[in-house]
Amino acid sequence: MITVGIIGSGNVAIHLVKAFLKADTVTITGVYARNCSALRGLVEANLVFTDANDLPRADVYLIAVSDDAIDEVSALLPPNARVVAHTSGSRPINSINVNHNRGCFYPLQTFSKSDVVDFSEVPVCIEAEHPGDLEILGQLAHTISRSVSIVNLEQRRALHLAAVFVCNFTNYLYGVGFEICDKAKLSPELLKPLINKTAGKIKNMTPYEAQTGPALRNDRTTIEAHLQMLQGSSREIYQLLTQSIQHERHKL
Ligand SMILES: NC(=O)c1ccc[n+]([C@@H]2O[C@H](COP(=O)([O-])OP(=O)(O)OC[C@H]3O[C@@H](n4cnc5c(N)ncnc54)[C@H](OP(=O)(O)O)[C@@H]3O)[C@@H](O)[C@H]2O)c1
């Protein structure tokens, strides 16, 4: 049995708690959060702590707080864990206080509290200051995920950057598309099969192979008509992405 303490009550912390509660070979010894309301009904009250010093001993403490708070929060934690790991895609493990054996447990997924997440499909990227600690982090990750990789800081930062493109920017573009539909008095629901198909296509094709559209075909009249319909940052994004696709394909 592996024991774990969770720090935080945000998007990632809540999903980690839910996943570990379902795992047979993990026990959550405690959750430390300055604001416990999100944990109500999820974790037994006697496992929730608002003073970090009360957090019980565990094999691993997982710090799932805002990137900028990792340093400060890790300094509050008692020396009660073999490894203390954060969940950030971009922060080095030395952003954790030097008094701990430091590590990273980065779940490569987008987490929102209200969303349902199947953690078995979430790749977990681990790193440890002391190579011996990779074993316990790996064991812990395998209790909830089928995909566990040892990833160094440079690689993790590259993954995080890639994730910003494929997730955060893509999601922003969904919003632009929804707004265009709203303005034309169309339901954004009409776009959802297209969104699902676009994401689904790359299961069997590369993004290069899956690309379609006016930029790829160099349909100049259509591109000009689209630009006439846009203003502000959406127009600039359209122009930049069109140029980028055309540069890749036609070296224009
Ligand atoms: N969300 C994702 O999709 C995602 C994916 C992978 C990795 N991550 C990483 O996971 C970590 C947590 O992200 P998140 O999305 O879960 O963030 P979040 O939902 O914004 O939650 C942040 C948590 O940090 C706590 N916190 C912030 N400053 C604090 C401080 N000074 N002292 C104590 N607690 C503090 C917040 O407490 P309050 O509620 O009291 O403010 C909250 O519990 C980050 O390192 C992030 O990079 C996020």
Side-chain angles (χ1 to χ4, degrees):
M1 185 66 73
I2 304 173
T3 51
V4 65
I6 309 285
I7 291 92
S9 60
N11 297 312
V12 172
I14 293 296
H15 284 290
L16 283 173
V17 167
K18 285 182 179 172
F20 287 129
L21 284 174
K22 281 191 221 147
D24 295 336
T25 50
V26 181
T27 301
I28 297 176
T29 58
V31 182
Y32 159 64
R34 63 179 180 184
N35 169 11
C36 298
S37 56
L39 298 164
R40 232 168 266 141
L42 184 62
V43 191
E44 287 174 35
N46 62 346
L47 291 182
V48 176
F49 302 92
T50 50
D51 182 340
N53 278 308
D54 296 334
L55 201 57
R57 192 169 286 280
D59 293 316
V60 180
Y61 283 164
L62 291 181
I63 306 181
V65 302
S66 320
D67 287 355
D68 287 343
I70 293 170
D71 187 358
E72 177 193 336
V73 171
S74 65
L76 301 174
L77 297 175
N80 282 348
R82 182 170 143 191
V83 194
V84 176
H86 68 58
T87 59
S88 169
S90 60
R91 291 303 165 105
I93 55 177
N94 65 12
S95 52
I96 295 170
N97 187 274
V98 69
N99 292 328
H100 304 292
N101 292 333
R102 302 174 285 192
C104 177
F105 189 99
Y106 171 51
L108 181 50
Q109 187 51 278
T110 172
F111 296 96
S112 298
K113 269 184 204 170
S114 58
D115 193 25
V116 176
V117 172
D118 177 359
F119 229 107
S120 68
E121 293 185 352
V122 178
V124 179
C125 304
I126 56 169
E127 184 190 351
E129 180 178 17
H130 303 294
D133 292 336
L134 283 171
E135 192 183 334
I136 187 77
L137 287 177
Q139 283 172 358
L140 181 65
H142 274 298
T143 65
I144 54 174
S145 171
R146 284 199 296 261
S147 168
V148 181
S149 306
I150 298 170
V151 168
N152 67 31
L153 175 62
E154 203 183 331
Q155 293 170 319
R156 176 158 48 86
R157 281 183 166 156
L159 268 176
H160 187 243
L161 175 61
V164 168
F165 275 93
V166 303
C167 169
N168 305 143
F169 290 167
T170 305
N171 188 62
Y172 176 80
L173 294 177
Y174 293 163
V176 174
F178 278 30
E179 205 180 309
I180 290 169
C181 282
D182 278 341
K183 282 190 183 150
K185 302 199 182 336
L186 291 163
S187 168
E189 287 297 316
L190 289 167
L191 293 176
K192 290 189 179 171
L194 176 63
I195 289 171
N196 289 334
K197 186 66 183 165
T198 308
K201 267 168 93 178
I202 55 132
K203 285 181 189 151
N204 303 312
M205 302 167 91
T206 64
Y208 188 90
E209 289 164 342
Q211 190 67 258
T212 59
L216 176 74
R217 294 187 299 269
N218 198 21
D219 280 340
R220 287 168 197 232
T221 314
T222 307
I223 291 168
E224 205 39 57
H226 284 171
L227 287 171
Q228 297 289 333
M229 294 164 74
L230 293 165
Q231 294 103 38
S233 60
S234 303
R235 192 172 196 277
E236 285 175 41
I237 291 167
Y238 187 103
Q239 264 171 326
L240 193 62
L241 289 178
T242 297
Q243 279 165 13
S244 191
I245 292 167
Q246 295 197 326
H247 180 74
E248 181 190 55
R249 297 303 167 123
H250 311 295
K251 307 291 174 222
L252 290 179

